[in-house]
């Protein structure tokens, strides 16, 4: 609808409505049409041989893919964006673009589990050595940079553990030492954190989460600044891992309401996190907007908001049976991976299983909360009854009960 310069004078929420469509070229229709296809017809042999047309074959993109790429580029202030069939695909692409055999890379200990698997498996196989670092290391990251370090990977807040990283601090050291930075910005999205404005080289968004917003698509967006864009595009063109055009159209549709859904998730997330904080069953709530969340000061300094995903650590007195009893019988909160959709999810996570640098200090069960768009009082009621079912597996109460039974009394006496 507008070119980059025109749209950038508007607030990001206005840009979300303007980008990625051009009614003048769409017979006046408000939204862009869907282009699917492999073959593109060329008028001359010269056009065919020299790829003169804007599109020349399906693996190099289609108008539907292009408009989402362009919209994301403008929204993020990047030099260019490419789209992948999943968020994990987008992360893999970023690593493939910036690493080669013999490289050493630094990855935060709080990274999304499959990112770790990628580093420990495929990247290792191709001769790239990964070293994990404390996500709260800040500018001390410089001490870990070696002669062959090429990439620092950040994810903020960390998956499950919620540490907010000092992104500008790490980026400033990386730039001085000619190391590239990749950020998984999925939790905040460009609405709440300006990755490229902060100097990050490649920013990754799992569009399967908040951009899609309806748990009905898988998509990844990888955007790069001027220095990394050529290598990102070349790597992408070499492997041609494109998403389906239908999913791109769904993402464009999701983009129009991204800020509204994020703000609602923020409001509900804060309300619910505060409610959890007041519960007897809870040891700690890790929400970036709360003082006790590691790296909270960086959230205050760098972020414009918080989305609806946070972590709750239960007191160390419940049993697995109690937890199953709670989570498997919820009416609204469901057990399911992913997040950023309209529905609420509640799953157990176990950071002590995979962290290698910073030991997870908690013994109690840890829950990842994804707050959806349901009425907050219904969500609390659902949790309230969940906690009652959890209490059936309260070791301290059960041992009192066992003791009373053993001396011939009941709890009521
Ligand atoms: C922080 C983060 N990044 C990336 C991904 C990967 O996204 P996708 O599920 O689209 O592969 C996820 C998925 O849960 C995630 O939580």
């Amino acid at each position: 609808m507008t070119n980059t310069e025109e749209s950038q004078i508007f607030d990001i929420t206005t840009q979300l409505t303007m980008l990625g469509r051009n009614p003048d070229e769409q017979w006046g229709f408000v939204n862009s049409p869907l282009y699917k296809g492999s073959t593109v017809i060329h008028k001359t042999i010269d056009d065919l041989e020299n790829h003169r047309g804007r599109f020349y074959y399906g693996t190099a993109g289609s108008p539907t893919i292009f408009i989402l790429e362009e919209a994301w580029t403008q929204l993020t202030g990047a030099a260019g964006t490419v789209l992948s069939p999943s968020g994990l695909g987008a992360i893999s692409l970023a690593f493939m673009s910036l690493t080669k055999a013999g490289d050493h890379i630094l990855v935060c200990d709080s990274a999304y589990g499959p990112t770790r698997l990628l580093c420990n498996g495929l990247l290792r196989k191709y001769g790239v050595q990964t070293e994990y670092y404390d996500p709260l290391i800040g500018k001390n990251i410089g001490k870990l940079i070696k002669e062959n370090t090429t990439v620092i990977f950040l994810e903020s807040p960390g998956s499950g553990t919620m540490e907010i990283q000092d992104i500008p601090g790490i980026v400033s050291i990386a730039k001085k030492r000619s190391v590239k930075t990749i950020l998984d910005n999925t939790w905040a999205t460009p609405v709440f954190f300006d990755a490229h404005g902060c100097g990050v080289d490649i920013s990754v968004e799992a569009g399967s989460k908040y951009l899609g917003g309806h748990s009905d698509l898988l998509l990844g967006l990888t955007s790069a600044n001027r220095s990394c864009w050529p290598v990102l595009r070349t790597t992408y063109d070499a492997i041609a891992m494109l998403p389906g055009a239908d999913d791109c159209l769904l993402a464009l549709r999701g983009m129009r309401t991204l800020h509204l859904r994020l703000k609602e998730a923020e409001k509900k997330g804060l309300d619910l996190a505060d409610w959890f904080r007041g519960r007897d069953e809870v040891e700690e709530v890790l929400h970036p907007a709360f003082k006790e969340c590691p790296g909270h000061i960086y959230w205050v300094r760098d972020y414009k908001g918080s989305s609806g995903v946070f972590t709750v650590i239960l007191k160390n007195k419940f049993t697995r049976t109690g937890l199953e009893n709670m989570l498997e019988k919820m009416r609204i909160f469901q057990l399911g991976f992913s997040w950023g959709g309209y529905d609420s999810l509640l799953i157990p996570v176990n950071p002590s299983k995979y962290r290698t640098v910073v030991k997870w200090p908690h013994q109690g069960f840890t829950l990842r909360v994804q707050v959806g768009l349901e009425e907050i009082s219904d969500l609390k009621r659902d949790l309230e009854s969940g906690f009652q079912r959890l209490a059936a597996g309260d070791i301290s109460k059960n041992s009192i009960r066992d003791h009373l039974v053993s001396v011939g009394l009941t709890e009521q006496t």
Side-chain angles (χ1 to χ4, degrees):
M1 188 166 200
T2 52
N3 65 32
T4 312
E5 289 78 42
E6 272 179 283
S7 71
Q8 278 175 354
I9 63 166
F10 296 111
D11 183 74
I12 192 162
T13 56
T14 310
Q15 291 187 49
L16 289 169
T17 70
M18 297 175 105
L19 296 171
R21 63 200 186 90
N22 190 346
D24 288 349
E25 292 177 7
Q26 300 157 194
W27 305 91
F29 276 82
V30 169
N31 290 300
S32 302
L34 175 66
Y35 285 87
K36 290 163 81 84
S38 51
T39 302
V40 177
I41 305 295
H42 302 271
K43 291 274 183 223
T44 66
I45 295 175
D46 182 46
D47 284 356
L48 181 96
E49 287 179 342
N50 297 302
H51 301 172
R52 296 215 192 279
R54 172 62 193 86
F55 300 100
Y56 66 93
Y57 184 59
T59 55
S62 67
T64 306
I65 289 176
F66 175 70
I67 55 176
L68 179 57
E69 285 175 348
E70 281 294 286
W72 201 254
T73 295
Q74 294 184 32
L75 205 64
T76 55
T81 300
V82 286
L83 309 179
S84 299
S86 70
L88 183 58
I91 294 168
S92 315
L93 178 68
F95 277 124
M96 271 191 264
S97 302
L98 298 184
T99 60
K100 59 184 183 318
D103 284 357
H104 166 256
I105 60 171
L106 291 164
V107 175
C108 56
D109 203 23
S110 50
Y112 167 60
T115 300
R116 289 183 85 105
L117 294 179
L118 167 73
C119 294
N120 300 343
L122 200 67
L123 289 188
R124 188 159 172 234
K125 177 177 140 187
Y126 285 108
V128 176
Q129 184 220 338
T130 301
E131 179 176 346
Y132 291 97
Y133 67 88
D134 177 353
L136 297 173
I137 197 167
K139 288 187 172 173
N140 284 327
I141 193 83
K143 294 183 186 148
L144 301 182
I145 295 177
K146 300 180 183 178
E147 223 156 73
N148 61 339
T149 307
T150 47
V151 167
I152 300 172
F153 181 89
L154 306 94
E155 184 183 320
S156 183
S159 270
T161 49
M162 301 306 289
E163 300 92 337
I164 309 292
Q165 297 197 254
D166 176 6
I167 301 171
I170 293 177
V171 165
S172 70
I173 300 295
K175 286 205 188 300
K176 272 191 206 137
R177 307 283 295 272
S178 302
V179 172
K180 299 294 184 199
T181 46
I182 303 172
L183 169 70
D184 183 335
N185 196 32
T186 302
W187 180 87
T189 83
V191 175
F192 286 154
F193 183 71
D194 180 7
H196 292 300
C198 222
V200 166
D201 292 295
I202 291 191
S203 178
V204 175
E205 183 79 26
S208 325
K209 318 295 181 219
Y210 283 110
L211 179 62
H214 294 72
S215 311
D216 55 1
L217 73 96
L218 284 165
L219 188 78
L221 304 96
T222 312
S223 59
N225 62 9
R226 203 161 295 284
S227 79
C228 290
W229 172 236
V231 71
L232 175 63
R233 184 76 226 188
T234 316
T235 310
Y236 185 71
D237 287 339
I239 54 177
M241 298 272 195
L242 289 79
D246 310 70
D247 287 341
C248 296
L249 214 61
L250 279 178
L252 277 163
R253 185 186 173 123
M255 193 175 83
R256 310 297 173 206
T257 55
L258 175 64
H259 63 294
L260 294 177
R261 289 182 286 100
L262 272 173
K263 283 180 186 145
E264 189 62 15
E266 173 174 48
K267 194 174 92 191
K268 291 202 159 89
L270 284 167
D271 187 329
L272 210 58
D274 194 46
W275 179 87
F276 272 113
R277 208 158 46 167
R279 295 289 308 194
D280 261 0
E281 298 85 352
V282 171
E283 179 180 292
E284 203 169 333
V285 177
L286 299 178
H287 187 296
F290 290 178
K291 268 202 198 80
E292 56 273 30
C293 191
H296 165 75
I297 49 166
Y298 304 124
W299 177 80
V300 174
R301 186 190 65 187
D302 301 329
Y303 284 70
K304 294 194 200 91
S306 56
S307 60
V309 178
F310 61 94
T311 295
V312 172
I313 300 144
L314 300 178
K315 285 187 179 149
N316 186 23
K317 60 176 188 169
F318 300 108
T319 60
R320 169 88 186 179
T321 311
L323 188 72
E324 285 170 1
N325 212 13
M326 172 181 179
L327 297 184
E328 292 173 8
K329 296 187 183 120
M330 300 294 287
R331 299 286 305 281
I332 302 174
F333 284 93
Q334 299 295 311
L335 281 167
F337 291 113
S338 207
W339 41 275
Y342 56 82
D343 51 342
S344 291
L345 302 170
L346 191 59
I347 56 167
V349 291
N350 187 359
S352 52
K353 246 183 165 171
Y354 51 84
R355 294 197 61 142
T356 48
V357 179
V358 190
K359 200 172 175 298
W360 180 243
H362 306 281
Q363 306 294 321
F365 292 116
T366 302
L367 304 177
R368 186 182 73 187
V369 185
Q370 132 73 17
V371 188
L373 300 176
E374 303 91 344
E375 164 57 36
I376 193 83
S377 57
D378 288 337
L379 293 177
K380 288 178 188 168
R381 263 196 304 153
D382 199 29
L383 289 164
E384 185 97 50
S385 16
F387 275 144
Q388 281 167 16
R389 292 190 300 276
L390 176 73
D394 180 333
I395 296 165
S396 50
K397 272 197 201 147
N398 283 347
S399 45
I400 293 168
R401 191 188 309 137
D402 292 348
H403 171 73
L404 291 172
V405 170
S406 73
V407 294
L409 299 170
T410 64
E411 256 182 309
Q412 279 77 23
T413 50

